Every structure is written in C-alpha cells, then in structure tokens.
Amino acid sequence: MLTKIATYGCCATRDLFNKAFVSDWKNHFQLVSYQQHCSIVSLMSKPIEIDLDDELKGDLSKFEKSVFKQDILKSFLDTLKTTQPEYLVLDFHVDTFNGFIELADGGIITNRIVRYKKLDVFKEIETRKLFSPLENTTEFKRRWIQSFNRFMQYMKEHCPNTQIIINRLEVARMYFSVDNQMESMIERRKTKDHHTEETLAKIDDCIDYFERYAINNFDLKSLNFNSEDYFGAEDNPWGTCYMHYNPYYYKKKFKDLWDIVDNNFHAPTKLATFAPGGLAKQIPIGVTKLSDIEEVGVYYLTNATYLQMEDRPSTDNAGYFLIIYPRNGKNGFMQELRKSTVAFSIQIFIRITGGKEDSKWNMVNSGFRTLTIPNVTSISDITEPGEYYITAEQVKKLTDHPTKKNGWFLTVSKKNHDSLKQLLTKNTQNDNAFEEYVRLVNVDKGTNLKWRKYKFDQPGFSVIIAMRNLRNRVMRRLKITKA
C-alpha cells in the first residue's frame, strides 16, 4: 500500500511529486490532496462570499483559476479532512513572498493581485490593506502565528493521524545557466519583480522565523535546505525563478522525505503489552468496533463489552481475551479472540485488519468439547467449520431443523469454493432411533438443499450400524427360541 501524502505551499514542495522532477515518486506515495499559492492566513479565514461561475472568465490558465477558487473558498481544509493523508508536507514561501490582503468586508485572500485582477469576478472584490514581510511586518507576523495555531488545532481535531513535515526553503540568489555558468537571479528577474538583496533577505528571515516557530512549538519534522547545493536553474521546466531549483534539490529533498517516512514505518514498537501489574489492557472508552483497536497488547472484554462490538464473530455469553499483534508491513495486523471459559472448549477467532479492508473472522476449534451454536434461528446460518451441539430446547427454535425434536450433533465442513456440508446426528443410545441428516449449503448465494436422511439399511451407508442391527435381531430370535 502506498503512503498517502498531501502538499501545501509552492511548486518547490508540490514538484517533489512530479515525474518531471522525481521520476519514481509514484512507487512510494499516493498524492491525495494539494494546494498551491495560498497563504495560511487566507486559508484559516472565512470563505469569501461571491458568485463563482463554473467557468471563470478572464485571461488566466485553468490552473491559476483553480488556485483562485481554492483561495476564495478555503476548500483545502475539507479536502484534508476527507482524504486523511498520512503526511502533509508544507512550506511558507507563499506566506512570505506574497503575503495576504485584507478586504473591505474583513475577508482575507492571498496577495496574488497581479494574476487575480485578470478575472472578471475580481471586480466584485474591494481590497483594503496589504500584509507582508515588507509591509506591516510586525502585524503580519502576529496574524500569521494566530492563523498557524488555528491550523494546527484544526489538524489535531480533524486529521489527528497526519504527520506534518516542514519543507524549509530559501530564496535562490544564483542560478545555473544552460551552459553551466553561475548567474545572478536578481539581475535575471529585475525587470519582473524588482527585488533587491535587501528585500530578499527580509523574505528569507521571515521564512526562517515561520519555519522555526512551527518546528519548535509543535515538534514537527523538517526537510532542511542546503544553500551550498541548492540553486536556481535556467533549464527548470517552470522557468527561472527564486523557488525553481536545480535537479539535485528535488532528488535530495525527496530522499530526505522518504527517510523520514521509512524510519517511522520501521520504528520499533514501544507500547506495553499489558497494563501495570500484569493485567490485561482495557478497551478504550467509546469503541464499538474491534477493528478500531490497533495498539499492540492483550486486552480483556467482559461479556457486556464484547456484545457491544459491531464486528464480533459470535454472540456467546462469555468474556473474551483480545490479542493485537504488531504490524507486519503496511497492509494490516492480526487480531485474535480467545473465549474465556472453563466449561466449554476455548474457541479462537483470528483475522487480519487495519488495511484497506478486513478479512473475515476465521475460527480455530480447540479443546475436546463440542462448540455452542451461535444465536441464530436457522442452521444454514452456522457456517464456521466445527462440531457443535444443539440442545432439545434450541432445536425447537430452529426453523430449518428436519424434526425439531431431541438433541443433535451438528458437523459443519470447511467451505469448498462457495458451498459447505452440514451433517446432523441425533443424540440417542437407541439403535432403532438413530438418525442422520445431510445437506449442502451455498454460503455465497444464501441457499441450501433439502435435508436428506441417511437410510442405514441400504448399501452404501454405515456398515457398523447395519451389523449392530443384525446382531440385535439375532439375539432377539435366540431369546424367543429358548423361551
């Protein structure tokens, strides 16, 4: 199973999952959600109430229009909640390089005005104030921290199992030309964005401030930036820009990311198997499915707790020990249930869970006593292989029993493709009253044949019973003769 991952930030993060930069990334990850070019402050603000046509009109690419829609609707939060990625990689380039704009109605959008104003719908939006490392710096940082704190609280509540990784970045001052010469990025772009060494230094300082705040206050892992090895590149597929790096950047960052994921995956389990004092662990409060219990260990379920489990394999009036085994890879782990009883055979059920889907419970029959039938009204519903006993009282409640009298042994065979055999044997010590019935049950279709009664006086049936009956008849005749 591939690792589910999401990205948030600029193309320097998104392109770690682009085959043009990392050719084999799909062998490791499934990209379940992403958002580019949106400020955290904008994301954590209220959606902007404007009419958005299905097809936005304006001189922007389809991609740029989708960015605008996400920025307006703040839809990435719901996407994260729906997709539940295992990892979220984010960077703060857009937060610092673009900043955000406060609107006249109090709303917030990312400062991408140069592009957004090309859309017809943007005429409905009235801007009020710009915030960036270069404008209103102190207030900008304060509001960013408030928004990032809310973002982390949202992740804690709605995506508690998502690990967040910070992709640390710096503005590329130099770039490799196509003839492998090192050139100045500021000179290359001076007619486009008018940045100076001073403005870029302020942006870098702010990126570093936000990165350290996130990493130190929330104990987050990070992908470090090596300024000695990472540069801009003129042959970058997206063109020459401050965050469009040389090929080595993408390969090395991807390797660093995979090292984090791989180390987490193979980290040793540090969970206690038992509760203090050697006692079995207790089921967490509120759990109603055994499949939701993933922490390694031995648990005990009282009968009342066991009957509350929606995915239990039986309805026995007994307690059960539940054993959770360590994961063997990413495809799940084994759960084992053992019936707690001294009066009957100890039934054991096992299955694999924790992957895309759960396997069915498989019953392992142990002990020397017959099994108790589950709480059913039809014998055809008893499909777990084993030897059961049906009391005379239970027989009366079974709609498909052939006689509805006496106690009976029930033998259920293992399933062959879609069907299994059921054999009923009457519990009697009287040869003349001895009976057996047999039939086939199609488990997949939920159908069954009629019960067929064995006739022991015909060839092909039990020779032992036939000889016993013959002996009894001979003995009766001898007694009559002597008399």
Side-chain angles (χ1 to χ4, degrees), residues 141-403:
K141 288 183 177 180
R142 185 187 67 82
R143 293 183 65 169
W144 184 92
I145 289 173
Q146 289 177 341
S147 298
F148 187 76
N149 290 346
R150 290 200 303 273
F151 173 75
M152 292 302 293
Q153 183 62 32
Y154 179 92
M155 295 299 292
K156 181 179 179 180
E157 293 176 1
H158 300 287
C159 303
N161 297 318
T162 299
Q163 296 190 46
I164 298 175
I165 299 174
I166 304 300
N167 184 20
R168 306 197 69 172
L169 298 175
E170 291 181 14
V171 176
R173 306 296 204 281
M174 307 296 289
Y175 71 94
F176 279 114
S177 64
V178 290
D179 55 357
N180 287 329
Q181 298 297 314
M182 194 70 79
E183 306 285 351
S184 168
M185 184 70 76
I186 296 176
E187 285 297 314
R188 174 65 180 258
R189 295 190 59 85
K190 64 182 180 180
T191 60
K192 294 185 177 182
D193 45 43
H194 310 291
H195 276 297
T196 66
E197 181 61 42
E198 182 182 0
T199 60
L200 294 181
K202 287 184 178 181
I203 290 171
D204 264 349
D205 287 344
C206 195
I207 292 178
D208 180 65
Y209 178 84
F210 289 163
E211 290 170 346
R212 286 186 292 104
Y213 178 86
I215 294 167
N216 295 334
N217 285 277
F218 296 95
D219 194 25
L220 303 180
K221 289 183 171 61
S222 64
L223 307 176
N224 290 329
F225 189 92
N226 186 349
S227 57
E228 294 183 0
D229 294 324
Y230 302 154
F231 304 95
E234 191 173 22
D235 59 357
N236 187 289
W238 302 122
T240 309
C241 193
Y242 298 105
M243 297 293 172
H244 295 168
Y245 298 104
N246 56 322
Y248 179 72
Y249 161 88
Y250 301 97
K251 292 179 173 57
K252 182 62 168 65
K253 284 273 189 172
F254 186 86
K255 180 182 181 302
D256 292 346
L257 171 63
W258 181 247
D259 286 345
I260 292 175
V261 174
D262 197 42
N263 288 337
N264 286 346
F265 178 62
H266 291 101
T269 301
K270 298 180 180 180
L271 302 173
T273 304
F274 303 99
L279 299 175
K281 292 182 176 182
Q282 297 298 308
I283 300 299
I285 297 174
V287 171
T288 58
K289 285 187 176 181
L290 294 168
S291 58
D292 291 336
I293 305 171
E294 300 185 0
E295 185 175 304
V296 174
V298 179
Y299 299 78
Y300 182 72
L301 291 78
T302 64
N303 179 239
T305 301
Y306 177 73
L307 293 177
Q308 292 175 2
M309 298 297 113
E310 298 173 8
D311 54 349
R312 64 185 184 277
S314 70
T315 56
D316 292 349
N317 290 318
Y320 274 84
F321 287 97
L322 171 65
I323 303 173
I324 306 296
Y325 289 88
R327 286 182 177 269
N328 179 19
K330 290 180 63 61
N331 291 326
F333 56 93
M334 180 179 289
Q335 289 185 325
E336 179 178 322
L337 277 168
R338 291 176 178 256
K339 187 175 182 179
S340 177
T341 178
V342 295
F344 303 98
S345 291
I346 301 176
Q347 290 173 264
I348 301 174
F349 299 90
I350 58 174
R351 73 169 176 184
I352 301 297
T353 186
K356 287 186 176 180
E357 58 182 349
D358 300 336
S359 71
K360 293 183 178 180
W361 286 105
N362 290 269
M363 185 176 68
V364 180
N365 185 14
S366 61
F368 57 91
R369 300 285 297 274
T370 55
L371 302 171
T372 303
I373 66 168
N375 185 23
V376 296
T377 58
S378 175
I379 299 175
S380 60
D381 292 333
I382 305 173
T383 57
E384 287 291 342
E387 297 180 4
Y388 300 81
Y389 185 72
I390 309 173
T391 67
E393 286 300 314
Q394 291 172 325
V395 163
K396 297 176 183 178
K397 301 176 183 179
L398 296 172
T399 58
D400 58 346
H401 193 278
T403 69

Side-chain angles (χ1 to χ4, degrees), residues 51-57 65 69:
D51 293 329
L52 291 176
D53 298 330
D54 292 336
E55 182 63 37
L56 292 173
K57 296 179 176 62
K65 290 177 180 178
K69 274 191 174 182

